[in-house]
mmCIF file of all heavy atoms in Angstrom:
data_model
loop_
_atom_site.group_PDB
_atom_site.id
_atom_site.type_symbol
_atom_site.label_atom_id
_atom_site.label_comp_id
_atom_site.label_asym_id
_atom_site.label_seq_id
_atom_site.Cartn_x
_atom_site.Cartn_y
_atom_site.Cartn_z
ATOM 1 N N ARG A 109 30.944 -58.788 70.121
ATOM 2 C CA ARG A 109 31.327 -57.693 71.035
ATOM 3 C C ARG A 109 31.502 -58.232 72.446
ATOM 4 O O ARG A 109 32.407 -57.783 73.184
ATOM 5 C CB ARG A 109 30.264 -56.600 71.002
ATOM 6 C CG ARG A 109 30.610 -55.391 71.871
ATOM 7 C CD ARG A 109 29.553 -54.302 71.821
ATOM 8 N NE ARG A 109 29.943 -53.132 72.567
ATOM 9 C CZ ARG A 109 29.823 -52.992 73.874
ATOM 10 N NH1 ARG A 109 29.291 -53.965 74.588
ATOM 11 N NH2 ARG A 109 30.246 -51.881 74.492
ATOM 12 N N PHE A 110 30.674 -59.164 72.833
ATOM 13 C CA PHE A 110 30.754 -59.727 74.167
ATOM 14 C C PHE A 110 32.109 -60.375 74.430
ATOM 15 O O PHE A 110 32.601 -60.374 75.551
ATOM 16 C CB PHE A 110 29.637 -60.771 74.392
ATOM 17 C CG PHE A 110 29.424 -61.191 75.809
ATOM 18 C CD1 PHE A 110 28.629 -60.448 76.664
ATOM 19 C CD2 PHE A 110 30.045 -62.321 76.323
ATOM 20 C CE1 PHE A 110 28.439 -60.826 77.982
ATOM 21 C CE2 PHE A 110 29.874 -62.732 77.626
ATOM 22 C CZ PHE A 110 29.075 -61.964 78.476
ATOM 23 N N ALA A 111 32.716 -60.904 73.401
ATOM 24 C CA ALA A 111 34.018 -61.575 73.551
ATOM 25 C C ALA A 111 35.154 -60.575 73.857
ATOM 26 O O ALA A 111 36.217 -60.986 74.325
ATOM 27 C CB ALA A 111 34.364 -62.347 72.282
ATOM 28 N N THR A 112 34.924 -59.294 73.634
ATOM 29 C CA THR A 112 35.941 -58.299 73.893
ATOM 30 C C THR A 112 35.544 -57.287 74.973
ATOM 31 O O THR A 112 36.385 -56.660 75.575
ATOM 32 C CB THR A 112 36.310 -57.537 72.608
ATOM 33 O OG1 THR A 112 35.166 -56.869 72.116
ATOM 34 C CG2 THR A 112 36.842 -58.496 71.546
ATOM 35 N N ALA A 113 34.244 -57.086 75.173
ATOM 36 C CA ALA A 113 33.749 -56.145 76.167
ATOM 37 C C ALA A 113 32.549 -56.744 76.878
ATOM 38 O O ALA A 113 31.432 -56.276 76.783
ATOM 39 C CB ALA A 113 33.346 -54.831 75.497
ATOM 40 N N PRO A 114 32.796 -57.824 77.653
ATOM 41 C CA PRO A 114 31.678 -58.532 78.277
ATOM 42 C C PRO A 114 31.149 -57.843 79.512
ATOM 43 O O PRO A 114 31.809 -56.992 80.125
ATOM 44 C CB PRO A 114 32.304 -59.875 78.630
ATOM 45 C CG PRO A 114 33.729 -59.524 78.933
ATOM 46 C CD PRO A 114 34.105 -58.449 77.941
ATOM 47 N N VAL A 115 29.963 -58.226 79.917
ATOM 48 C CA VAL A 115 29.354 -57.830 81.173
ATOM 49 C C VAL A 115 29.348 -59.050 82.085
ATOM 50 O O VAL A 115 28.771 -60.075 81.756
ATOM 51 C CB VAL A 115 27.915 -57.320 80.968
ATOM 52 C CG1 VAL A 115 27.243 -57.052 82.321
ATOM 53 C CG2 VAL A 115 27.895 -56.092 80.084
ATOM 54 N N GLY A 116 30.013 -58.964 83.195
ATOM 55 C CA GLY A 116 30.069 -60.063 84.142
ATOM 56 C C GLY A 116 29.419 -59.713 85.463
ATOM 57 O O GLY A 116 28.734 -58.691 85.570
ATOM 58 N N SER A 117 29.673 -60.560 86.465
ATOM 59 C CA SER A 117 29.166 -60.277 87.796
ATOM 60 C C SER A 117 30.297 -60.319 88.807
ATOM 61 O O SER A 117 30.064 -60.309 90.019
ATOM 62 C CB SER A 117 28.114 -61.325 88.186
ATOM 63 O OG SER A 117 28.687 -62.616 88.217
ATOM 64 N N GLY A 118 31.562 -60.376 88.326
ATOM 65 C CA GLY A 118 32.700 -60.484 89.193
ATOM 66 C C GLY A 118 33.196 -59.134 89.701
ATOM 67 O O GLY A 118 32.619 -58.076 89.421
ATOM 68 N N PRO A 119 34.317 -59.169 90.412
ATOM 69 C CA PRO A 119 34.801 -57.930 91.090
ATOM 70 C C PRO A 119 35.479 -56.933 90.183
ATOM 71 O O PRO A 119 35.760 -55.819 90.627
ATOM 72 C CB PRO A 119 35.796 -58.496 92.121
ATOM 73 C CG PRO A 119 36.234 -59.799 91.524
ATOM 74 C CD PRO A 119 35.072 -60.344 90.796
ATOM 75 N N PHE A 120 35.747 -57.286 88.926
ATOM 76 C CA PHE A 120 36.413 -56.350 87.993
ATOM 77 C C PHE A 120 35.583 -56.200 86.718
ATOM 78 O O PHE A 120 35.000 -57.190 86.236
ATOM 79 C CB PHE A 120 37.810 -56.842 87.639
ATOM 80 C CG PHE A 120 38.808 -56.680 88.747
ATOM 81 C CD1 PHE A 120 39.024 -57.714 89.633
ATOM 82 C CD2 PHE A 120 39.523 -55.505 88.898
ATOM 83 C CE1 PHE A 120 39.950 -57.608 90.653
ATOM 84 C CE2 PHE A 120 40.458 -55.381 89.931
ATOM 85 C CZ PHE A 120 40.677 -56.431 90.811
ATOM 86 N N GLU A 121 35.573 -54.998 86.176
ATOM 87 C CA GLU A 121 34.952 -54.745 84.875
ATOM 88 C C GLU A 121 36.055 -54.563 83.837
ATOM 89 O O GLU A 121 37.198 -54.136 84.162
ATOM 90 C CB GLU A 121 34.142 -53.454 84.922
ATOM 91 C CG GLU A 121 32.985 -53.486 85.893
ATOM 92 C CD GLU A 121 32.236 -52.150 85.901
ATOM 93 O OE1 GLU A 121 32.693 -51.255 86.623
ATOM 94 O OE2 GLU A 121 31.210 -52.043 85.192
ATOM 95 N N VAL A 122 35.727 -54.843 82.582
ATOM 96 C CA VAL A 122 36.709 -54.672 81.529
ATOM 97 C C VAL A 122 36.812 -53.208 81.133
ATOM 98 O O VAL A 122 35.805 -52.593 80.797
ATOM 99 C CB VAL A 122 36.325 -55.508 80.267
ATOM 100 C CG1 VAL A 122 37.299 -55.289 79.119
ATOM 101 C CG2 VAL A 122 36.261 -57.003 80.641
ATOM 102 N N ARG A 123 38.006 -52.703 81.187
ATOM 103 C CA ARG A 123 38.250 -51.290 80.817
ATOM 104 C C ARG A 123 38.782 -51.226 79.390
ATOM 105 O O ARG A 123 38.290 -50.439 78.555
ATOM 106 C CB ARG A 123 39.220 -50.637 81.795
ATOM 107 C CG ARG A 123 39.487 -49.172 81.553
ATOM 108 C CD ARG A 123 40.422 -48.633 82.641
ATOM 109 N NE ARG A 123 40.749 -47.234 82.419
ATOM 110 C CZ ARG A 123 39.972 -46.239 82.757
ATOM 111 N NH1 ARG A 123 38.799 -46.461 83.344
ATOM 112 N NH2 ARG A 123 40.337 -44.985 82.513
ATOM 113 N N LYS A 124 39.790 -52.054 79.090
ATOM 114 C CA LYS A 124 40.360 -52.131 77.728
ATOM 115 C C LYS A 124 40.774 -53.562 77.468
ATOM 116 O O LYS A 124 41.184 -54.273 78.391
ATOM 117 C CB LYS A 124 41.589 -51.217 77.586
ATOM 118 C CG LYS A 124 41.325 -49.736 77.744
ATOM 119 C CD LYS A 124 42.630 -48.937 77.642
ATOM 120 C CE LYS A 124 42.419 -47.462 77.876
ATOM 121 N NZ LYS A 124 43.705 -46.720 77.828
ATOM 122 N N PHE A 125 40.670 -53.954 76.220
ATOM 123 C CA PHE A 125 41.129 -55.292 75.854
ATOM 124 C C PHE A 125 41.667 -55.282 74.427
ATOM 125 O O PHE A 125 41.003 -54.818 73.514
ATOM 126 C CB PHE A 125 39.985 -56.301 75.962
ATOM 127 C CG PHE A 125 40.345 -57.691 75.464
ATOM 128 C CD1 PHE A 125 41.309 -58.425 76.078
ATOM 129 C CD2 PHE A 125 39.698 -58.233 74.350
ATOM 130 C CE1 PHE A 125 41.661 -59.697 75.620
ATOM 131 C CE2 PHE A 125 40.014 -59.481 73.900
ATOM 132 C CZ PHE A 125 41.000 -60.224 74.517
ATOM 133 N N THR A 126 42.886 -55.795 74.286
ATOM 134 C CA THR A 126 43.494 -55.970 72.998
ATOM 135 C C THR A 126 43.860 -57.439 72.892
ATOM 136 O O THR A 126 44.724 -57.926 73.657
ATOM 137 C CB THR A 126 44.753 -55.102 72.787
ATOM 138 O OG1 THR A 126 44.402 -53.735 73.012
ATOM 139 C CG2 THR A 126 45.289 -55.266 71.399
ATOM 140 N N GLU A 127 43.255 -58.117 71.961
ATOM 141 C CA GLU A 127 43.431 -59.566 71.803
ATOM 142 C C GLU A 127 44.923 -59.933 71.706
ATOM 143 O O GLU A 127 45.675 -59.344 70.919
ATOM 144 C CB GLU A 127 42.720 -59.992 70.532
ATOM 145 C CG GLU A 127 42.737 -61.471 70.231
ATOM 146 C CD GLU A 127 42.009 -61.741 68.937
ATOM 147 O OE1 GLU A 127 40.781 -61.910 68.976
ATOM 148 O OE2 GLU A 127 42.660 -61.770 67.867
ATOM 149 N N GLU A 128 45.332 -60.874 72.539
ATOM 150 C CA GLU A 128 46.694 -61.421 72.589
ATOM 151 C C GLU A 128 47.721 -60.411 73.074
ATOM 152 O O GLU A 128 48.925 -60.703 73.061
ATOM 153 C CB GLU A 128 47.117 -61.963 71.223
ATOM 154 C CG GLU A 128 46.424 -63.241 70.826
ATOM 155 C CD GLU A 128 47.101 -63.899 69.628
ATOM 156 O OE1 GLU A 128 46.854 -63.453 68.507
ATOM 157 O OE2 GLU A 128 47.887 -64.838 69.831
ATOM 158 N N ARG A 129 47.315 -59.240 73.526
ATOM 159 C CA ARG A 129 48.277 -58.239 73.977
ATOM 160 C C ARG A 129 48.033 -57.809 75.415
ATOM 161 O O ARG A 129 48.923 -57.874 76.255
ATOM 162 C CB ARG A 129 48.233 -57.002 73.068
ATOM 163 C CG ARG A 129 48.586 -57.265 71.605
ATOM 164 C CD ARG A 129 49.903 -57.985 71.406
ATOM 165 N NE ARG A 129 51.038 -57.325 72.061
ATOM 166 C CZ ARG A 129 52.253 -57.837 72.104
ATOM 167 N NH1 ARG A 129 52.494 -59.017 71.604
ATOM 168 N NH2 ARG A 129 53.223 -57.169 72.710
ATOM 169 N N LYS A 130 46.820 -57.282 75.699
ATOM 170 C CA LYS A 130 46.628 -56.633 76.979
ATOM 171 C C LYS A 130 45.137 -56.682 77.373
ATOM 172 O O LYS A 130 44.244 -56.536 76.546
ATOM 173 C CB LYS A 130 47.088 -55.199 76.939
ATOM 174 C CG LYS A 130 46.915 -54.437 78.249
ATOM 175 C CD LYS A 130 47.240 -52.941 78.089
ATOM 176 C CE LYS A 130 48.711 -52.706 77.824
ATOM 177 N NZ LYS A 130 49.024 -51.259 77.834
ATOM 178 N N ALA A 131 44.917 -56.859 78.684
ATOM 179 C CA ALA A 131 43.577 -56.690 79.248
ATOM 180 C C ALA A 131 43.737 -55.776 80.484
ATOM 181 O O ALA A 131 44.552 -56.022 81.345
ATOM 182 C CB ALA A 131 42.973 -58.008 79.672
ATOM 183 N N GLN A 132 42.970 -54.701 80.465
ATOM 184 C CA GLN A 132 42.974 -53.783 81.620
ATOM 185 C C GLN A 132 41.608 -53.823 82.268
ATOM 186 O O GLN A 132 40.591 -53.589 81.630
ATOM 187 C CB GLN A 132 43.302 -52.358 81.158
ATOM 188 C CG GLN A 132 43.515 -51.401 82.320
ATOM 189 C CD GLN A 132 43.897 -50.021 81.838
ATOM 190 O OE1 GLN A 132 43.035 -49.184 81.611
ATOM 191 N NE2 GLN A 132 45.207 -49.770 81.639
ATOM 192 N N LEU A 133 41.621 -54.176 83.531
ATOM 193 C CA LEU A 133 40.388 -54.319 84.311
ATOM 194 C C LEU A 133 40.332 -53.298 85.427
ATOM 195 O O LEU A 133 41.331 -52.981 86.056
ATOM 196 C CB LEU A 133 40.291 -55.725 84.936
ATOM 197 C CG LEU A 133 40.564 -56.924 84.003
ATOM 198 C CD1 LEU A 133 40.427 -58.212 84.773
ATOM 199 C CD2 LEU A 133 39.602 -56.901 82.821
ATOM 200 N N ALA A 134 39.138 -52.731 85.636
ATOM 201 C CA ALA A 134 38.928 -51.768 86.708
ATOM 202 C C ALA A 134 38.028 -52.372 87.782
ATOM 203 O O ALA A 134 37.065 -53.081 87.467
ATOM 204 C CB ALA A 134 38.278 -50.498 86.139
ATOM 205 N N ARG A 135 38.324 -52.067 89.012
ATOM 206 C CA ARG A 135 37.520 -52.578 90.109
ATOM 207 C C ARG A 135 36.081 -52.111 89.981
ATOM 208 O O ARG A 135 35.796 -50.951 89.685
ATOM 209 C CB ARG A 135 38.091 -52.073 91.455
ATOM 210 C CG ARG A 135 37.318 -52.587 92.689
ATOM 211 C CD ARG A 135 37.953 -52.049 93.963
ATOM 212 N NE ARG A 135 37.925 -50.612 93.994
ATOM 213 C CZ ARG A 135 38.880 -49.879 94.557
ATOM 214 N NH1 ARG A 135 39.941 -50.443 95.096
ATOM 215 N NH2 ARG A 135 38.782 -48.563 94.558
ATOM 216 N N TRP A 136 35.139 -53.053 90.151
ATOM 217 C CA TRP A 136 33.714 -52.716 90.149
ATOM 218 C C TRP A 136 33.338 -52.367 91.599
ATOM 219 O O TRP A 136 33.230 -53.238 92.430
ATOM 220 C CB TRP A 136 32.921 -53.902 89.628
ATOM 221 C CG TRP A 136 31.432 -53.680 89.613
ATOM 222 C CD1 TRP A 136 30.791 -52.495 89.423
ATOM 223 C CD2 TRP A 136 30.404 -54.644 89.777
ATOM 224 N NE1 TRP A 136 29.426 -52.662 89.454
ATOM 225 C CE2 TRP A 136 29.160 -53.994 89.673
ATOM 226 C CE3 TRP A 136 30.389 -56.024 89.995
ATOM 227 C CZ2 TRP A 136 27.947 -54.637 89.769
ATOM 228 C CZ3 TRP A 136 29.192 -56.694 90.096
ATOM 229 C CH2 TRP A 136 27.967 -56.016 89.994
ATOM 230 N N ASP A 137 33.184 -51.098 91.841
ATOM 231 C CA ASP A 137 32.969 -50.659 93.214
ATOM 232 C C ASP A 137 31.618 -51.072 93.797
ATOM 233 O O ASP A 137 31.446 -51.024 95.008
ATOM 234 C CB ASP A 137 33.127 -49.127 93.311
ATOM 235 C CG ASP A 137 34.592 -48.691 93.269
ATOM 236 O OD1 ASP A 137 35.444 -49.501 93.666
ATOM 237 O OD2 ASP A 137 34.848 -47.568 92.827
ATOM 238 N N ASP A 138 30.675 -51.482 92.929
ATOM 239 C CA ASP A 138 29.393 -51.966 93.430
ATOM 240 C C ASP A 138 29.325 -53.478 93.512
ATOM 241 O O ASP A 138 28.235 -54.062 93.534
ATOM 242 C CB ASP A 138 28.264 -51.456 92.476
ATOM 243 C CG ASP A 138 28.114 -49.943 92.555
ATOM 244 O OD1 ASP A 138 28.341 -49.371 93.646
ATOM 245 O OD2 ASP A 138 27.781 -49.346 91.510
ATOM 246 N N TYR A 139 30.497 -54.132 93.524
ATOM 247 C CA TYR A 139 30.527 -55.593 93.617
ATOM 248 C C TYR A 139 29.747 -56.047 94.822
ATOM 249 O O TYR A 139 29.954 -55.550 95.926
ATOM 250 C CB TYR A 139 31.983 -56.063 93.688
ATOM 251 C CG TYR A 139 32.131 -57.575 93.774
ATOM 252 C CD1 TYR A 139 31.553 -58.413 92.828
ATOM 253 C CD2 TYR A 139 32.835 -58.152 94.822
ATOM 254 C CE1 TYR A 139 31.702 -59.796 92.911
ATOM 255 C CE2 TYR A 139 33.003 -59.522 94.909
ATOM 256 C CZ TYR A 139 32.432 -60.339 93.941
ATOM 257 O OH TYR A 139 32.561 -61.714 94.038
ATOM 258 N N TRP A 140 28.892 -57.026 94.580
ATOM 259 C CA TRP A 140 27.964 -57.492 95.620
ATOM 260 C C TRP A 140 28.550 -58.594 96.509
ATOM 261 O O TRP A 140 27.988 -58.916 97.558
ATOM 262 C CB TRP A 140 26.710 -58.046 94.919
ATOM 263 C CG TRP A 140 27.067 -59.104 93.930
ATOM 264 C CD1 TRP A 140 27.408 -58.937 92.634
ATOM 265 C CD2 TRP A 140 27.190 -60.507 94.205
ATOM 266 N NE1 TRP A 140 27.727 -60.153 92.052
ATOM 267 C CE2 TRP A 140 27.611 -61.116 93.017
ATOM 268 C CE3 TRP A 140 26.986 -61.291 95.339
ATOM 269 C CZ2 TRP A 140 27.812 -62.505 92.893
ATOM 270 C CZ3 TRP A 140 27.201 -62.661 95.241
ATOM 271 C CH2 TRP A 140 27.597 -63.256 94.043
ATOM 272 N N GLY A 141 29.701 -59.194 96.101
ATOM 273 C CA GLY A 141 30.233 -60.356 96.808
ATOM 274 C C GLY A 141 31.065 -59.997 98.007
ATOM 275 O O GLY A 141 31.279 -58.838 98.327
ATOM 276 N N GLU A 142 31.591 -61.061 98.607
ATOM 277 C CA GLU A 142 32.416 -60.880 99.804
ATOM 278 C C GLU A 142 33.866 -60.577 99.398
ATOM 279 O O GLU A 142 34.308 -60.932 98.322
ATOM 280 C CB GLU A 142 32.397 -62.175 100.652
ATOM 281 C CG GLU A 142 30.987 -62.614 101.068
ATOM 282 C CD GLU A 142 30.302 -61.641 101.983
ATOM 283 O OE1 GLU A 142 31.035 -60.964 102.744
ATOM 284 O OE2 GLU A 142 29.076 -61.564 101.994
ATOM 285 N N SER A 143 34.602 -59.913 100.307
ATOM 286 C CA SER A 143 36.009 -59.611 100.135
ATOM 287 C C SER A 143 36.318 -58.984 98.791
ATOM 288 O O SER A 143 37.002 -59.571 97.940
ATOM 289 C CB SER A 143 36.867 -60.900 100.325
ATOM 290 O OG SER A 143 36.674 -61.448 101.609
ATOM 291 N N PRO A 144 35.789 -57.780 98.530
ATOM 292 C CA PRO A 144 36.070 -57.116 97.235
ATOM 293 C C PRO A 144 37.570 -56.792 97.133
ATOM 294 O O PRO A 144 38.274 -56.739 98.117
ATOM 295 C CB PRO A 144 35.234 -55.837 97.327
ATOM 296 C CG PRO A 144 35.042 -55.604 98.786
ATOM 297 C CD PRO A 144 34.980 -56.946 99.420
ATOM 298 N N PRO A 145 38.053 -56.531 95.921
ATOM 299 C CA PRO A 145 39.471 -56.272 95.740
ATOM 300 C C PRO A 145 39.913 -54.939 96.364
ATOM 301 O O PRO A 145 39.130 -53.975 96.447
ATOM 302 C CB PRO A 145 39.646 -56.231 94.230
ATOM 303 C CG PRO A 145 38.272 -55.924 93.686
ATOM 304 C CD PRO A 145 37.324 -56.520 94.642
ATOM 305 N N ALA A 146 41.148 -54.937 96.813
ATOM 306 C CA ALA A 146 41.729 -53.704 97.356
ATOM 307 C C ALA A 146 42.385 -52.863 96.277
ATOM 308 O O ALA A 146 42.618 -51.666 96.464
ATOM 309 C CB ALA A 146 42.746 -54.041 98.441
ATOM 310 N N ILE A 147 42.746 -53.484 95.130
ATOM 311 C CA ILE A 147 43.386 -52.723 94.055
ATOM 312 C C ILE A 147 42.312 -52.132 93.137
ATOM 313 O O ILE A 147 41.241 -52.726 92.970
ATOM 314 C CB ILE A 147 44.373 -53.583 93.277
ATOM 315 C CG1 ILE A 147 43.656 -54.740 92.527
ATOM 316 C CG2 ILE A 147 45.470 -54.114 94.171
ATOM 317 C CD1 ILE A 147 44.545 -55.485 91.604
ATOM 318 N N ALA A 148 42.615 -50.997 92.545
ATOM 319 C CA ALA A 148 41.664 -50.316 91.687
ATOM 320 C C ALA A 148 41.761 -50.775 90.247
ATOM 321 O O ALA A 148 40.783 -50.682 89.487
ATOM 322 C CB ALA A 148 41.881 -48.804 91.759
ATOM 323 N N GLN A 149 42.917 -51.268 89.840
ATOM 324 C CA GLN A 149 43.095 -51.635 88.445
ATOM 325 C C GLN A 149 44.075 -52.808 88.313
ATOM 326 O O GLN A 149 45.095 -52.853 88.998
ATOM 327 C CB GLN A 149 43.654 -50.457 87.641
ATOM 328 C CG GLN A 149 43.878 -50.729 86.174
ATOM 329 C CD GLN A 149 44.333 -49.473 85.451
ATOM 330 O OE1 GLN A 149 43.561 -48.546 85.231
ATOM 331 N NE2 GLN A 149 45.614 -49.422 85.094
ATOM 332 N N LEU A 150 43.724 -53.742 87.441
ATOM 333 C CA LEU A 150 44.606 -54.852 87.091
ATOM 334 C C LEU A 150 44.880 -54.758 85.602
ATOM 335 O O LEU A 150 43.950 -54.731 84.790
ATOM 336 C CB LEU A 150 43.945 -56.187 87.425
ATOM 337 C CG LEU A 150 44.661 -57.434 86.839
ATOM 338 C CD1 LEU A 150 46.016 -57.630 87.489
ATOM 339 C CD2 LEU A 150 43.794 -58.687 87.034
#
């Protein structure tokens, strides 16, 4: 499960993932690091 819906510490969380097709990431608004992303979704 971790390979498709992992928990990280970076600026984006995994919203949807389809192997070899698509990854949709949502901004983690509680990101602790410097210069968080300005976009809400990648």
Side-chain angles (χ1 to χ4, degrees):
R109 183 179 185 278
F110 193 85
T112 61
V115 175
S117 62
F120 288 91
E121 298 178 277
V122 177
R123 183 177 178 82
K124 296 178 183 177
F125 174 63
T126 304
E127 183 181 274
E128 290 192 279
R129 300 306 306 173
K130 180 188 292 187
Q132 188 178 89
L133 310 180
R135 182 179 60 214
W136 180 30
D137 284 333
D138 293 327
Y139 180 56
W140 55 273
E142 304 295 331
S143 301
I147 64 171
Q149 180 177 288
L150 169 67

